[in-house]
Amino acid sequence: MSIRTERVAEEIKHQINTAMSKDLAELHLGLVTVTKVVMSPDLKIAKVYLTFLGSKETPERAIAKIDNRKKHIRYELGKKLKLKFTPDILFFYDDTAEYADHINKILNDIKK
């Protein structure tokens, strides 16, 4: 990734985190955190990876609820970013923490 794409990814991560804390409270998804943003080289697509803490919804349903708000999130993002084009946003569930717990459990079982 180039320096520009990394900077844009970090700014999008910050802005979406801010937007989610304010605008998505009524979805009752618990704490939604943007863990990573990956930009396409042309800055037209942003893959946003999310984690949910304290959500009663499955990750798939939570992502679907956020996808329904994608238009509003993209609009808010476009107002705050100084880019020629507002990137299209694709939301994904980040299961890194669950995978790390699974590996940790396997390692603990091996030690026993």
Side-chain angles (χ1 to χ4, degrees), residues 3 5 7 11 28 43 48 50 63 67 87 91 100 105 107:
I3 293 172
T5 55
R7 285 183 183 169
E11 183 62 23
H28 306 292
L43 302 177
V48 179
L50 306 170
I63 292 290
D67 268 338
F91 292 107
K105 182 179 180 245
L107 291 174

Side-chain angles (χ1 to χ4, degrees), residues 38-99:
V38 178
M39 296 297 299
S40 64
D42 62 358
L43 302 177
K44 297 215 177 189
I45 299 173
K47 293 181 180 178
V48 179
Y49 293 88
L50 306 170
T51 59
F52 305 96
L53 186 64
S55 176
K56 295 176 183 171
E57 300 286 342
T58 63
E60 293 80 20
R61 287 184 46 89
I63 292 290
K65 283 184 172 184
I66 291 174
D67 268 338
N68 289 336
R69 298 282 186 117
K70 185 188 321 189
K71 206 175 204 182
H72 175 71
I73 294 169
R74 189 167 181 238
Y75 170 74
E76 291 296 325
L77 191 60
K79 288 193 312 187
K80 295 185 172 128
L81 292 178
K82 305 287 190 231
L83 294 173
K84 188 173 184 178
F85 301 103
T86 303
D88 189 25
I89 304 169
L90 303 174
F91 292 107
F92 298 97
Y93 176 63
D94 186 8
D95 63 347
T96 305
E98 292 173 4
Y99 183 71

Side-chain angles (χ1 to χ4, degrees), residues 13-52:
K13 179 179 174 181
H14 173 71
Q15 294 298 334
I16 289 180
N17 264 331
T18 304
M20 291 220 186
S21 65
K22 293 177 184 175
D23 297 336
L24 298 179
E26 67 265 6
L27 292 180
H28 306 292
L29 296 175
L31 179 65
V32 180
T33 306
V34 177
T35 56
K36 182 168 75 167
V37 175
V38 178
M39 296 297 299
S40 64
D42 62 358
L43 302 177
K44 297 215 177 189
I45 299 173
K47 293 181 180 178
V48 179
Y49 293 88
L50 306 170
T51 59
F52 305 96

